[in-house]
Amino acid sequence: MPELPEVETVRQGLRQLVLNKKIRNVRVLYPKIINGDTDIFIETVEGLTIKEIGRRGKYLIFNFNEGTSLVSHLRMEGKYFVRQTGDEIEKHTHIIFEFTDGKQLRYNDVRKFGRMELVRTDKVNDLKGIKKLGPEPTETDFDLENFTNKLKNKNKMIKPALLDQTLVAGLGNIYADEVLWMSKINPETPARHLEKKEISILRNAIIAELAKAVKAGGTTIRSYTNAFENSGEFQFELNAYGKTGEPCSRCGTLIKKIVVAQRGTHYCPNCQKVE
DNA sequence: TTAGCTGTTCAGCT
DNA sequence: GAGCTGAACAGCTA
């Protein structure tokens, strides 16, 4: 499920549901979700209170009191639900945080790809995955000149370059296809061949598209729901992803699906011509 | 039924 | 260091 807009939507929902709740105990049903020692994880988290929930790229960051943080990545299908203690434990529930008020925060992940790790709050930015992240895709953080320079030194095609999180944080397969369609750039274009003007258009499309998707509550393709278990609405605004064989909304040419760097890639062969 | 697909990241290799 | 490949896992679809 989760690219930046979905993670952000989850974050906003969780803030409303679990902020300032104190954890009474933790149950780990599938230890591989946790990076590091499970016993230490449980011991450390019990008794802590969730003071704030942040996000960096696609990473959710729970900040507790006592300078402890939990960094959580949902990968493909991770979800958080809130339940009452005693409610039936659904299939694919792997971690349960029980609060002192009788509510529970449950981590559910069909494919078990998600990971979470405890770290000192002042060390969050040193985590391997977070350390390498590029800027957040916002007008203030995402600098055009810096983006341009990095693209110039990339030997990859533009699509996998956008996915690798170091140029800009938060894009996944869906939004990468969408922003390239918006920018009329062919996904197989070598990143270093992009012209100045194209790069500027691409940057603006990334900022605008992700902001729009956050506003719509994210995209629900298969299974994504937010913390309230609602679907997102942005799938109704997609123009390329999943539109294989449908007419391009700009020119009517049928959207084509190819594989680029092992990822399904959707584009308009007419609007997004090879340079 | 079986094979192939799926929204992510990382290790291990060249 | 950078780029490519396959692996982690389960369920859905053709």
Side-chain angles (χ1 to χ4, degrees):
Chain A
M1 89 185 219
E3 304 182 35
L4 185 149
E6 292 75 42
V7 178
E8 176 60 20
T9 304
V10 169
R11 183 186 80 84
Q12 291 173 9
L14 285 178
R15 282 191 88 249
Q16 294 180 51
L17 291 169
V18 302
L19 218 53
N20 294 315
K21 290 193 189 299
K22 183 174 177 181
I23 296 169
R24 189 213 305 272
N25 66 62
V26 181
R27 256 189 294 167
V28 177
L29 279 40
Y30 185 79
K32 278 182 79 173
I33 299 288
I34 292 164
N35 283 338
D37 186 272
T38 306
D39 293 333
I40 294 176
F41 178 89
I42 294 170
E43 220 172 279
T44 308
V45 171
E46 287 182 350
L48 295 179
T49 300
I50 301 176
K51 300 310 280 185
E52 185 50 276
I53 304 175
R55 180 190 57 73
R56 177 80 172 89
K58 305 176 198 173
Y59 291 83
L60 260 183
I61 303 167
F62 296 81
N63 290 322
F64 302 105
N65 53 333
E66 298 187 15
T68 303
S69 291
L70 174 65
V71 177
S72 170
H73 198 297
L74 277 31
R75 294 285 185 97
M76 304 284 266
E77 309 218 36
K79 296 178 212 17
Y80 282 100
F81 300 142
V82 174
R83 293 282 184 271
Q84 288 290 337
T85 296
D87 285 356
E88 186 190 350
I89 295 172
E90 289 114 323
K91 204 173 174 184
H92 309 305
T93 296
H94 305 309
I95 316 276
I96 301 175
F97 301 90
E98 185 177 325
F99 299 112
T100 51
D101 68 354
K103 290 211 165 68
Q104 296 183 335
L105 176 65
R106 299 182 180 176
Y107 178 74
N108 183 291
D109 188 343
V110 169
R111 291 176 72 183
K112 299 178 176 167
F113 281 173
R115 291 293 177 265
M116 55 183 80
E117 179 165 356
L118 276 182
V119 59
R120 273 178 40 201
T121 302
D122 57 2
K123 297 283 184 201
V124 166
N125 290 326
D126 295 339
L127 274 188
K128 198 175 347 160
I130 293 190
K131 202 173 186 174
K132 67 161 204 178
L133 290 178
E136 290 289 312
T138 61
E139 197 59 53
T140 43
D141 287 4
F142 189 18
D143 182 68
L144 177 60
E145 200 183 321
N146 193 14
F147 186 43
T148 306
N149 290 335
K150 283 186 183 163
L151 283 173
K152 223 171 269 168
N153 297 317
K154 279 276 174 197
N155 278 316
K156 292 183 182 179
M157 298 178 280
I158 185 61
K159 163 108 189 239
L162 290 178
L163 290 178
D164 88 5
Q165 309 299 307
T166 60
L167 297 174
V168 57
L171 283 174
N173 207 35
I174 297 178
Y175 297 111
D177 282 0
E178 291 302 309
V179 299
L180 289 172
W181 181 90
M182 295 289 309
S183 312
K184 301 188 182 177
I185 295 170
N186 186 284
E188 296 186 291
T189 310
R192 62 175 192 284
H193 288 184
L194 289 178
E195 290 164 26
K196 240 187 155 116
K197 194 172 168 200
E198 290 179 302
I199 296 173
S200 169
I201 291 170
L202 178 57
R203 170 186 172 270
N204 292 339
I206 290 168
I207 295 170
E209 195 72 357
L210 290 182
K212 232 169 101 183
V214 168
K215 223 172 225 171
T219 301
T220 298
I221 293 298
R222 209 205 320 287
S223 64
Y224 164 76
T225 60
N226 64 19
F228 296 106
E229 293 166 68
N230 298 319
S231 301
E233 299 290 335
F234 197 70
Q235 61 272 25
F236 303 118
E237 301 189 43
L238 297 179
N239 289 294
Y241 186 87
K243 299 291 183 188
T244 314
E246 293 181 37
C248 169
S249 63
R250 211 162 29 203
C251 78
T253 304
L254 300 187
I255 297 292
K256 210 172 154 188
K257 182 177 180 185
I258 58 173
V259 175
V260 177
Q262 299 169 294
R263 309 299 303 277
T265 298
H266 313 71
Y267 75 108
C268 171
N270 180 50
C271 294
Q272 298 167 265
K273 284 211 175 70
V274 185
E275 42 172 329

